[in-house]
Amino acid sequence: MSMDSNFILIVGPPNSGKLRISKLIQGIKDDKISETREHNSTDSHSGLIHKTKITTKYYTSNVDIFIDEIPSKRTPIFSEDDKINALKKWCNEFFSPEMESLVESLDGIIFTINIKDDSLEYADELLNVVHRVKTLSNEDNLLAVVATTPKGSNGWDKRYFDEIEDIFIEHGFEFIDFDKQGKNEYKESQGKDRIVELIECHEWRYMELIKKTNSEETENEVKEEKSLDELLVKLNEAKEHAKHLSPAEKDKYANEVIKDIEAYI
């Protein structure tokens, strides 16, 4: 019996990275992509569906990625006001009674924004939409805003990046700069790695757990118990040592201990 598919929606204006994010989730290279219909750069990406299978060491899950573009049709001349109005229209249609069953079936939505071309006014309106989605959809759904620059652009010409980032982070939403790499100052994944992490760590509606053998489970339990005991010893030793340090020395020592623990685990 085949496993049911989960549904995730990627929605945003033209040239805002929707296909790049879909490819990333599928784990395929830029020059290889399987789509339900052919298109070229002048076609709207609305209606594309990419089917993939997420496999981690803990589970497998079938995921259908829906692409929705705002507006649904591309026109040669499209002002920022047109784009904002199209976003408002999309939101009203998305939460109409006719769409209720689709909204309930979704496991997550990723909104995209082009931070080279999209305005602060567009970002403000997108914030309103994300708030509405958060309020009206399942609280367990994956929800993120991914900022991209058009292909071939350099990071330095992101016009309002800091302001746009603040708009979403200050309201507690997941905001990802697609182009960032490595870890941030809090040792958290960034960019593409963070998107993959969100997808792999999500608790999908339909997923098949990978069963471990008894010997694997016993071996892992022993290792975890031993690691925990050793970690507690290290923490107690650090606590005793810190009692004899000045406040400034304590801060420096605490940072060293944190680095040691991170490397240890």
Side-chain angles (χ1 to χ4, degrees):
M1 185 176 176
S2 61
M3 181 171 44
D4 287 334
S5 289
N6 301 281
F7 301 100
I8 188 168
L9 177 65
I10 303 176
V11 57
N15 305 311
S16 61
K18 298 182 294 299
L19 294 190
R20 279 176 279 164
I21 294 167
S22 178
K23 291 174 187 179
L24 178 68
I25 294 172
Q26 295 175 78
I28 56 180
K29 302 297 182 183
D30 276 350
D31 58 345
K32 294 179 182 177
I33 186 161
S34 170
E35 297 176 350
T36 55
R37 64 178 174 82
E38 293 297 319
H39 74 279
N40 59 49
S41 60
T42 60
D43 289 336
S44 168
H45 293 151
S46 281
L48 294 177
I49 301 173
H50 304 155
K51 295 177 178 289
T52 191
K53 187 171 188 175
I54 308 295
T55 302
T56 72
K57 62 181 179 179
Y58 302 110
Y59 73 86
T60 61
S61 181
N62 295 326
V63 178
D64 289 355
I65 306 165
F66 289 73
I67 307 293
D68 207 356
E69 188 161 286
I70 304 171
S72 57
K73 292 182 180 178
R74 295 191 180 185
T75 55
I77 300 172
F78 197 71
S79 70
E80 202 65 20
D81 283 343
D82 290 335
K83 198 183 294 183
I84 291 169
N85 289 330
L87 179 60
K88 290 178 180 178
K89 182 183 177 184
W90 176 90
C91 189
N92 289 331
E93 289 176 351
F94 185 72
F95 287 111
S96 66
E98 294 80 14
M99 297 286 282
E100 189 175 349
S101 60
L102 172 65
V103 173
E104 286 179 355
S105 70
L106 280 173
D107 288 84
I109 302 181
I110 295 176
F111 290 96
T112 60
I113 185 168
N114 178 327
I115 47 176
K116 181 175 181 288
D117 297 332
D118 294 337
S119 66
L120 286 173
E121 290 77 18
Y122 182 85
D124 277 327
E125 185 55 44
L126 180 57
L127 176 67
N128 294 333
V129 171
V130 176
H131 263 300
R132 193 171 174 194
V133 169
K134 179 71 172 176
T135 304
L136 297 177
S137 62
N138 189 320
E139 62 179 16
D140 295 326
N141 280 1
L142 184 156
L143 181 61
V145 177
V146 178
T148 68
T149 50
K151 270 195 165 182
S153 295
N154 294 319
W156 54 262
D157 57 10
K158 296 173 181 177
R159 293 189 305 165
Y160 307 115
F161 177 75
D162 291 339
E163 293 94 328
I164 290 175
E165 182 179 40
D166 289 344
I167 284 172
F168 294 99
I169 289 180
E170 285 174 3
H171 288 82
F173 294 119
E174 180 82 35
F175 181 86
I176 301 167
D177 179 356
F178 190 81
D179 297 326
K180 278 192 176 175
Q181 298 179 350
K183 307 275 188 181
N184 63 17
E185 64 269 33
Y186 306 109
K187 308 294 184 186
E188 296 166 335
S189 298
Q190 300 184 114
K192 299 180 183 68
D193 290 344
R194 178 56 182 157
I195 295 172
V196 171
E197 187 176 80
L198 274 180
I199 294 295
E200 292 187 346
C201 294
H202 183 63
E203 191 168 334
W204 299 99
R205 194 173 315 201
Y206 304 111
M207 54 200 300
E208 195 171 283
L209 298 179
I210 295 174
K211 294 179 181 178
K212 293 181 179 178
T213 64
N214 288 336
S215 60
E216 284 179 318
E217 288 179 353
T218 303
E219 186 180 338
N220 287 339
E221 285 171 7
V222 170
K223 283 181 180 177
E224 287 172 10
E225 191 174 331
K226 184 180 177 185
S227 296
L228 183 59
D229 287 344
E230 291 176 355
L231 185 58
L232 289 173
V233 170
K234 282 179 177 287
L235 287 172
N236 283 327
E237 287 176 352
K239 185 178 176 182
E240 289 301 315
H241 181 66
K243 288 179 180 178
H244 309 291
L245 301 176
S246 67
E249 289 173 324
K250 280 182 180 178
D251 286 342
K252 184 180 177 183
Y253 182 60
N255 288 329
E256 291 174 356
V257 170
I258 289 169
K259 287 179 183 176
D260 286 344
I261 289 172
E262 285 176 344
Y264 181 76
I265 60 177

